[in-house]
Amino acid sequence: MILEYPEYFERFRCIGGACPDTCCAGWEVDVDPDSAEYYKSVTGEFGERLRKHICEDEGECYFPLTEKRRCPFLNDKNLCDIYSNIGEESLCQTCTEYPRYFMDIGNYEQMDMSLSCMELGRIFYTETDKITYIRSENDVEGEVLSPEEQGTLIEVLALRNQCISVMQDSTDSFPQKMDTVRALVSEAQGEDPSLKDSTRAFLKEDFNDLSLLLSSMDSISPEWTEKLDFYRKLAGSPEELSKMETFAADNADHLDLWMSKTAVYFIFRYFIDTCIDGDIEHELCLLHRSLTLIQFMLFAEWLIKGSVDVSDMIYVSHLFSKQVEHDDGNVAKIKNLC
Ligand code: SF4
C-alpha cells in the first residue's frame, strides 16, 4: 500500500498534562472490539471501574461522558487513569490514534492529524513553513478497485496536489487562490470556470446562513455554546460586520498566510472523499464554508480582544475542528450532504 502523510506527522508528540486543552472531554470515546474485550478481562478494583463505565449500543462499545462532559477516566490533573493503571499499551484505538486519522482507498492510504489538537495546531502554524508530504510503501494489500474507481482516485489525487500547490506556491492573495482552486475544479468537471461559480449556492451564503448551519449541530461544550451565541449576534449586526474590512486590512499578511495554510489542511484531508461522495462539489463546499467560518471566528476574537496573533488562529481552528470535524453528521452538514 502507498502511504502519504505530511512531514509534521512524524514530529508530533502529545504533551499530555501540559496541554492547554484535553482531547478526553466533549465527545464519547468509542472503544474498539479488541480493547473492549480486554477491558472486560482486567481484574481487581480498576477492572471493576472499567466495566462499570463501558456501555454497549447495537454491538458498539463506548465510554459515556460524565455530567461534566469528560471521559470517566480523565482525572483532575487531566491525565488518563487507564494509562496510569494498566499502561499506555492498554489504551483503545481511538485514544492511541488521536489526533491522527487514516483514510484508505484501494492501495492508497492517506494519514494526517487533526487541528482539534492545539499542540498539532502549534506545530502546524508556528513550526511549519511549507507543508511537504512524504510517500512510503508497505506490504499491506488494499481492497481491489475497479478500473473506473482507480481512475477516479488518480484524478482526484492529481487535482488535490494541484490545488495544494496553488495554495502554497502562488504569490496571489488568498481570495484569488480560492478562485483558482474553484476554477481548477470546474475545469476538471469539464465545466466553464467563468460560468460554474454562478451555480454554486454556497458562494451566496452570508454569515447568518453559516451561523444557522453551526446552530443545527449539537454543541460539544459550554465554551462552544457561548461562542456560538456571540457568532449569531455578530452575524446579525451590520454595524459590527462593517468592521471586517478594517480587520482584514490590519491583518492582511498574516491572514493570507494562515488561511492559505488552513486551506491546504482541508484540501489534503477532504478532497479524497470525492471517491466516496461521488461529487467534488461537496468537498469544495466544505472547503469554502470551513475557511469562511474560521476567518469569521478569528474576526470575532479580534473584536473581543482588539488584536489577534497566531495563538488565536490556533485556537479558532482547534475550536472549529473539535466542533465539526469529529462528528460524521456535522461533516455531512458542512459538505451539504444532508
Ligand atoms: S489535545 Fe493533543 S496534546 Fe492535548 S492531550 Fe490530546 S493529543 Fe495530547
Side-chain angles (χ1 to χ4, degrees):
M1 190 174 258
I2 294 168
L3 313 175
E4 191 164 30
Y5 54 92
E7 163 279 329
Y8 54 74
F9 192 92
E10 291 175 341
R11 263 191 294 145
F12 174 82
R13 298 284 176 276
C14 170
I15 55 173
C19 180
D21 186 42
T22 174
C23 47
C24 312
W27 44 48
E28 281 163 356
V29 176
D30 292 333
V31 181
D32 57 285
D34 288 348
S35 302
E37 209 48 45
Y38 171 63
Y39 293 160
K40 285 174 190 164
S41 72
V42 174
T43 55
E45 214 176 298
F46 193 71
E48 285 304 312
R49 189 174 156 203
L50 277 167
R51 281 182 286 284
K52 191 175 134 211
H53 286 290
I54 203 159
C55 282
E56 208 166 324
D57 184 18
E58 294 181 4
E60 306 285 326
C61 291
Y62 64 99
F63 293 137
L65 298 177
T66 64
E67 272 180 14
K68 291 186 176 165
R69 299 191 57 76
R70 289 164 65 86
C71 171
F73 296 98
L74 182 65
N75 65 30
D76 295 345
K77 296 190 179 77
N78 272 352
L79 296 174
C80 171
D81 283 342
I82 295 182
Y83 186 107
S84 48
N85 277 274
I86 51 175
E88 184 179 2
E89 64 285 358
S90 305
L91 294 177
C92 65
Q93 199 178 346
T94 306
C95 299
T96 305
E97 289 180 354
Y98 181 83
R100 300 162 190 84
Y101 82 88
F102 303 85
M103 164 75 166
D104 53 87
I105 299 205
N107 254 329
Y108 175 83
E109 181 166 66
Q110 177 179 299
M111 312 190 292
D112 202 353
M113 313 190 91
S114 169
L115 281 175
S116 58
C117 166
M118 288 182 80
E119 173 59 9
L120 190 268
R122 189 191 65 74
I123 293 169
F124 183 83
Y125 287 109
T126 69
E127 291 183 357
T128 311
D129 287 338
K130 179 175 173 176
I131 304 159
T132 53
Y133 293 92
I134 297 170
R135 268 192 176 225
S136 64
E137 257 182 84
N138 65 19
D139 294 334
V140 177
E141 284 293 325
E143 63 167 325
V144 179
L145 298 182
S146 68
E148 194 189 331
E149 289 168 331
Q150 184 66 24
T152 304
L153 176 64
I154 290 168
E155 272 177 40
V156 167
L157 295 184
L159 181 59
R160 179 201 70 183
N161 292 348
Q162 219 182 340
C163 294
I164 287 177
S165 173
V166 167
M167 280 295 157
Q168 299 211 104
D169 302 330
S170 163
T171 52
D172 285 349
S173 68
F174 172 67
Q176 287 169 330
K177 288 192 267 192
M178 285 295 281
D179 290 347
T180 307
V181 164
R182 287 198 310 279
L184 284 171
V185 171
S186 305
E187 276 168 22
Q189 292 167 319
E191 306 258 7
D192 181 342
S194 61
L195 300 175
K196 181 68 181 171
D197 270 358
S198 63
T199 68
R200 290 181 165 133
F202 60 82
L203 293 177
K204 300 183 181 80
E205 291 170 335
D206 62 17
F207 294 117
N208 253 325
D209 298 324
L210 290 173
S211 62
L212 277 174
L213 178 67
L214 292 179
S215 301
S216 72
M217 303 172 183
D218 289 339
S219 170
I220 200 164
S221 64
E223 181 190 17
W224 175 257
T225 306
E226 202 180 303
K227 287 284 178 194
L228 183 56
D229 203 33
F230 183 62
Y231 300 151
R232 293 208 49 188
K233 284 189 189 120
L234 188 53
S237 166
E239 191 191 335
E240 292 295 293
L241 289 178
S242 69
K243 296 173 187 164
M244 204 166 236
E245 269 180 35
T246 312
F247 159 72
D250 283 2
N251 297 283
D253 289 350
H254 286 145
L255 273 181
D256 252 33
L257 182 68
W258 295 337
M259 297 312 295
S260 301
K261 200 175 245 195
T262 313
V264 172
Y265 167 86
F266 281 106
I267 292 168
F268 184 75
R269 179 158 188 177
Y270 290 101
F271 268 30
I272 193 170
D273 288 3
T274 306
C275 297
I276 295 161
D277 297 337
D279 185 352
I280 199 168
E281 283 300 302
H282 294 297
E283 282 62 49
L284 206 55
C285 178
L286 174 142
L287 179 70
H288 172 82
R289 284 175 167 175
S290 301
L291 292 164
T292 307
L293 279 165
I294 287 173
Q295 185 156 330
F296 178 68
M297 290 163 68
L298 192 65
F299 167 60
E301 295 303 306
W302 179 81
L303 282 178
I304 295 165
K305 299 166 63 179
S307 65
V308 284
D309 62 23
V310 72
S311 64
D312 299 295
M313 189 63 201
I314 295 168
Y315 172 69
V316 293
S317 297
H318 138 86
L319 203 58
F320 177 86
S321 172
K322 205 165 176 178
Q323 171 61 35
V324 175
E325 285 195 284
H326 293 273
D327 182 312
D328 291 344
N330 291 347
V331 172
K333 282 181 179 174
I334 289 278
K335 283 180 175 179
N336 204 23
L337 274 166
C338 60

